[in-house]
């Protein structure tokens, strides 16, 4: 699932995971839970999340690779917030190839920037201050948006302005479900 911060990827990933009976793997949630539990990974990741910068890819890729090998991901999974750069996408392609599998689809959730800023200000997560939001938007444009080209024809674009249920219906439609 691709989309800028505030596009609603997390909400849609959960709904889709429930519908398809596969786990939702959110790198943002994994980092936040490591921070809360005070693990070594959490300590390393915290200042990147606080600044709205990407956590270095070696840490992130290792985290995802380990998660993919948990039993519940054997029959499929939804990746929310990963990959977030071409470097990560290349690593993911290798991980999936090594496991004889591939992505079925790439969903892009599209929302105009004005709507995004409104949503994020209402959400009030620790990294939702104006300056950090601005940086996360920039990181999305510079690092993540190039993935749309990397994935090319696999990308299905979903209009993410509307109620969660409306957006979910569009996402299912784009997947032919
Ligand atoms: P949002 O999409 O609203 O920005 P996320 O929970 O997906 O929220 O991400 C929050 C933060 O977690 C990011 O700003 C970044 O610091 C870190 N993060 C999440 N996923 C990745 C990733 N794939 N690579 C590097 N950092 C990540």
């Amino acid at each position: 699932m691709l989309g800028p911060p505030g596009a609603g990827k997390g909400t849609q990933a959960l709904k889709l995971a429930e519908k398809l009976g596969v786990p939702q793997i959110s790198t943002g949630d994994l980092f936040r839970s490591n921070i809360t539990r005070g693990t070594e990974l959490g300590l390393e990741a915290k200042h990147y999340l606080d600044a709205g910068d990407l956590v270095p890819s070696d840490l992130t890729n290792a985290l995802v690779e380990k998660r993919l090998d948990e039993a519940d991901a054997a029959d499929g999974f939804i990746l929310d917030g990963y990959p977030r750069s071409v470097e990560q996408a290349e690593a993911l392609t290798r991980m999936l190839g090594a496991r004889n599998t591939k992505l079925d689809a790439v969903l892009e959730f599209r929302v105009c920037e004005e709507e995004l800023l409104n949503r994020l200000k209402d959400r009030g997560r620790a990294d939702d201050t104006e300056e950090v939001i601005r940086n996360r938007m920039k990181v999305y444009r510079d690092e993540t948006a190039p993935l749309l080209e990397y994935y090319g024809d696999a990308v299905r674009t979903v209009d993410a302005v509307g109620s969660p249920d409306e957006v979910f219906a569009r996402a299912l439609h784009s997947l032919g479900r």
Side-chain angles (χ1 to χ4, degrees):
M1 320 247 306
L2 288 176
K9 298 183 299 287
T11 305
Q12 298 299 325
L14 274 175
K15 288 168 93 66
L16 205 56
E18 191 180 334
K19 167 99 180 170
L20 302 178
V22 296
Q24 167 233 21
I25 300 178
S26 158
T27 42
D29 286 351
L30 289 172
F31 286 132
R32 280 186 292 273
S33 116
N34 275 276
I35 290 169
T36 305
R37 288 181 285 124
T39 68
E40 198 172 316
L41 174 67
L43 288 176
E44 284 191 72
K46 185 175 187 315
H47 61 278
Y48 296 100
L49 273 86
D50 286 346
D53 288 327
L54 294 185
V55 176
S57 285
D58 52 349
L59 288 180
T60 310
N61 293 334
L63 176 75
V64 171
E65 185 150 31
K66 207 168 121 214
R67 181 66 187 85
L68 290 181
D69 286 336
E70 284 175 35
D72 65 340
D75 294 327
F77 43 82
I78 292 166
L79 292 172
D80 164 15
Y82 181 89
R84 239 173 164 99
S85 64
V86 171
E87 189 185 6
Q88 292 182 7
E90 287 169 346
L92 176 63
T93 300
R94 278 195 302 277
M95 286 177 218
L96 296 179
R99 289 163 181 75
N100 275 317
T101 186
K102 61 176 182 53
L103 296 181
D104 292 315
V106 176
L107 287 184
E108 181 210 357
F109 291 88
R110 203 174 277 187
V111 181
C112 69
E113 198 147 317
E114 198 188 320
E115 167 80 10
L116 290 176
L117 288 170
N118 281 333
R119 289 185 185 184
L120 290 168
K121 273 191 251 150
D122 290 344
R123 189 167 72 177
R125 210 170 65 195
D127 58 349
D128 285 343
T129 63
E130 192 166 337
E131 193 193 340
V132 176
I133 290 172
R134 222 177 279 287
N135 188 44
R136 282 157 55 212
M137 300 272 189
K138 178 174 162 33
V139 169
Y140 182 78
R141 279 193 304 270
D142 294 350
E143 304 281 330
T144 311
L147 293 182
L148 296 171
E149 201 171 312
Y150 180 87
Y151 286 118
D153 287 346
V155 176
R156 332 261 166 107
T157 298
V158 176
D159 172 6
V161 181
S163 71
D165 285 342
E166 280 165 352
V167 176
F168 186 52
R170 291 179 202 137
L172 287 180
H173 182 77
S174 78
L175 292 171
R177 298 252 172 186

